[in-house]
Amino acid sequence: MRFADVIGNVEVARTLANMADSGRVAHAMLMYENEGCGALALALAYVQYLNCSNPSGGDSCGECPSCKKFNAFAHPDLHFIFPTTTNKNVKKDPESDLFMTEWRDYLISSKTYADLHSWYNFLDVENKQGMINVRDASTIIRKLNLKTYEAEYKVAIIWMAEKLNIQAANKLLKLLEEPPEKTVFLLISENQDELLNTVRSRTVLVKIPKLSLDEVQNALVQEFHCDSVKAYNTA
């Protein structure tokens, strides 16, 4: 994911690129938004930029081996945790690692503009609600304490961080405060007030503004080939 692929939020993208360029890389950021504003897309573009071999013009090249792996959400130093629950394939003890194939497929199909409702539909969990549990926390701690494989920065993205249950959130506190060197945590949230204060206090807050009508309209025209009138009415 390149910044150029993100809908709108040019100023946020520029700020993130400047942080990377200056070496002021926060070890933990909480990117909070209203649904559909592109926080996950921005997070993915940011970590791809951080690890790109040939960045230029404030964006990743999209062509180096690192970019290609990040773009496929399959880089060995890119780790995700996200809400899960049981379904017909995972009947007990759900955790993110058991759904990683589905997660990558979902990111591709949604163009990284993810939301909980469509994610749960993608998993076919019926009316059940997901959470991020202590098994996820244990797994991410184990992974981040290993050496990096090939990237400059190890990355952990916690999508819908407000779904961390209390045990998982508490288990992550020490790692959020004192992560291994060259480790970046990016927490994505639509309801940051539901996060424990002890989690929020360990992060740099980055607000993702609501997309403008023009930004949404342009995206509908470019991505879905709507005519401008239909795009305006839909937006």
Side-chain angles (χ1 to χ4, degrees), residues 34-168:
N34 292 322
E35 182 181 322
C37 295
L40 180 57
L42 283 162
L44 289 164
Y46 173 58
V47 297
Q48 182 168 311
Y49 184 69
L50 274 178
N51 288 293
C52 176
S53 300
N54 302 296
S56 65
D59 210 344
S60 55
C61 71
E63 297 296 332
C64 68
S66 176
C67 280
K68 288 181 178 179
K69 292 174 185 177
F70 271 97
N71 198 50
F73 320 117
H75 196 288
D77 294 308
L78 174 63
H79 309 288
F80 295 97
I81 54 177
F82 41 80
T84 63
T85 186
T86 54
N87 66 3
K88 62 183 180 182
N89 296 319
V90 178
K91 299 185 183 300
K92 67 175 183 177
D93 297 336
E95 63 172 290
S96 300
D97 265 14
L98 299 177
F99 295 95
M100 202 55 64
T101 298
E102 291 88 345
W103 175 246
R104 292 187 181 110
D105 289 344
Y106 173 68
L107 289 180
I108 292 169
S109 67
S110 66
K111 298 183 183 293
T112 74
Y113 283 80
D115 68 89
L116 272 176
H117 180 70
S118 64
W119 168 234
Y120 291 156
N121 283 342
F122 194 87
L123 290 184
D124 192 19
V125 299
E126 299 175 338
N127 294 321
K128 289 174 284 190
Q129 297 298 305
M131 70 172 60
I132 301 171
N133 57 56
V134 73
R135 291 184 296 278
D136 289 297
S138 297
T139 297
I140 207 71
I141 289 169
R142 174 179 55 80
K143 289 179 177 179
L144 293 181
N145 278 309
L146 298 173
K147 292 182 179 180
T148 56
Y149 285 89
E150 55 191 63
E152 183 175 0
Y153 290 92
K154 285 180 291 187
V155 177
I157 294 179
I158 305 178
W159 180 64
M160 293 295 173
E162 62 267 34
K163 294 298 181 179
L164 283 160
N165 67 21
I166 292 175
Q167 293 87 348

Side-chain angles (χ1 to χ4, degrees), residues 151-196:
E152 183 175 0
Y153 290 92
K154 285 180 291 187
V155 177
I157 294 179
I158 305 178
W159 180 64
M160 293 295 173
E162 62 267 34
K163 294 298 181 179
L164 283 160
N165 67 21
I166 292 175
Q167 293 87 348
N170 285 331
K171 194 171 185 68
L172 287 171
L173 290 179
K174 183 177 181 181
L175 192 63
L176 281 170
E177 188 166 12
E178 298 178 4
E181 187 179 4
K182 296 285 188 175
T183 298
V184 173
F185 269 100
L186 294 176
L187 284 67
I188 312 296
S189 176
E190 292 179 1
N191 294 288
Q192 59 140 337
D193 291 340
E194 294 181 11
L195 276 166
L196 294 180

Side-chain angles (χ1 to χ4, degrees), residues 15-26:
T15 298
L16 292 171
N18 288 340
M19 288 171 59
D21 292 341
S22 66
R24 294 181 292 105
V25 177

